[in-house]
Amino acid sequence: MKKLMTLVMLAMTALTTSAQIEDGNWYITPKAGVSVADMTGRLFYADKAEGTYDCTLRPITSFAIGIDMEYAMADQLALGFGLNYARKGSKTDDGMFRVQMDYVNIPLTLNFYPIRNAGLALKAGIQVGFAARKRLKMDGVEYNADYAHQLWMTRFGRIVPVYVESELSRQFNKVDFAIPLAVSYEFKNVVLEARYNLGLTNVMKDDPEASKHKTWVFTLGYKFDLGD
């Protein structure tokens, strides 16, 4: 019993020494981690295609990096802003198909700290992402879905290099809306967070499957108190 009471006291001490937001203060948290991205739907129906294909989409794992800003509207409620860079997409096990897209994301969340001085936070909101890089692999062949490099001739007869949007790039939606849902735990300014981004926008414009992104992001950050 004495050992059990000691463990309970240690646990309570850990909770009470965790950081707590203060009404009116600003906080900033640089963070980095990994993303596990997938897409809803299927590539196509196997019985409607020639040959044998693995049509089931699988997750891709990559890095994620970002920074969060937080304004405490009360001792247990804060408004969160963010800027992060993460990879989304999906692939098939046979390596014949892969969508790989890098996004600059701007989330806006409401952060609730349910237990005072416990460091636990629940977050939900809305996020807009802008595609910064797009790559597509079909039948084992890599395609650049960004801007293509071409040479144009000016009216003065001079050849100049230009970048024009490729036809493949036009098939992708370049803005991605999502709902971020997250839980984080903070101890001595170190913040561990697990976030799920539920995509609302179709990855491609003419996709009969209406595939959308769904992404887990796990990050480790350090929170700085900027004061009021």
Side-chain angles (χ1 to χ4, degrees):
M1 177 63 72
K2 186 180 293 185
K3 290 183 178 180
L4 178 60
M5 290 300 296
T6 301
L7 290 175
V8 171
M9 291 299 295
L10 288 174
M12 293 179 63
T13 302
L15 289 175
T16 56
T17 55
S18 296
Q20 176 70 37
I21 59 173
E22 296 182 13
D23 186 11
N25 279 15
W26 285 89
Y27 302 87
I28 186 170
T29 307
K31 60 182 184 179
V34 297
S35 66
V36 182
D38 202 353
M39 289 163 50
T40 62
R42 296 166 61 89
L43 174 56
F44 48 72
Y45 292 103
D47 57 356
K48 296 181 180 180
E50 296 181 0
T52 302
Y53 295 89
D54 175 8
C55 306
T56 305
L57 297 178
R58 305 294 185 187
I60 59 173
T61 303
S62 186
F63 70 95
I65 189 169
I67 188 166
D68 285 342
M69 289 285 295
E70 192 175 25
Y71 174 71
M73 299 183 293
D75 287 342
Q76 292 177 261
L77 191 65
L79 188 63
F81 315 84
L83 181 67
N84 62 72
Y85 192 89
R87 180 164 294 168
K88 302 177 185 180
S90 195
K91 65 180 181 180
T92 55
D93 282 337
D94 58 12
M96 298 300 287
F97 172 83
R98 183 178 71 242
V99 173
Q100 182 175 299
M101 304 177 69
D102 294 352
Y103 284 87
V104 176
N105 301 301
I106 304 174
L108 175 64
T109 59
L110 192 64
N111 304 342
F112 175 56
Y113 293 79
I115 306 173
R116 189 180 295 273
N117 297 321
L120 178 68
L122 306 176
K123 307 174 183 180
I126 189 70
Q127 174 179 280
V128 59
F130 301 93
R133 183 175 182 268
K134 305 182 293 294
R135 295 292 183 271
L136 177 66
K137 186 176 184 180
M138 289 289 293
D139 294 331
V141 180
E142 297 274 358
Y143 296 95
N144 180 355
D146 290 318
Y147 288 81
H149 180 236
Q150 295 183 2
L151 296 177
W152 281 13
M153 180 181 292
T154 68
R155 62 177 180 174
F156 302 106
R158 182 180 177 184
I159 304 296
V160 295
V162 295
Y163 286 91
V164 297
E165 187 176 13
S166 66
E167 183 61 34
L168 180 58
S169 175
R170 296 188 184 97
Q171 303 303 314
F172 287 87
N173 282 312
K174 300 169 185 63
V175 179
D176 179 64
F177 288 95
I179 296 176
L181 304 169
V183 58
S184 69
Y185 179 74
E186 176 186 349
F187 181 71
K188 294 184 178 180
N189 297 94
V190 177
V191 182
L192 180 65
E193 181 183 271
R195 178 172 300 207
Y196 181 72
N197 294 317
L198 176 63
L200 303 176
T201 307
N202 292 350
V203 178
M204 302 189 75
K205 296 176 180 178
D206 298 321
D207 176 12
E209 286 287 309
S211 296
K212 298 175 178 61
H213 292 298
K214 51 180 183 178
T215 311
W216 280 99
V217 184
F218 303 95
T219 56
L220 186 66
Y222 190 88
K223 180 185 284 189
F224 295 92
D225 187 347
L226 304 181
D228 53 16

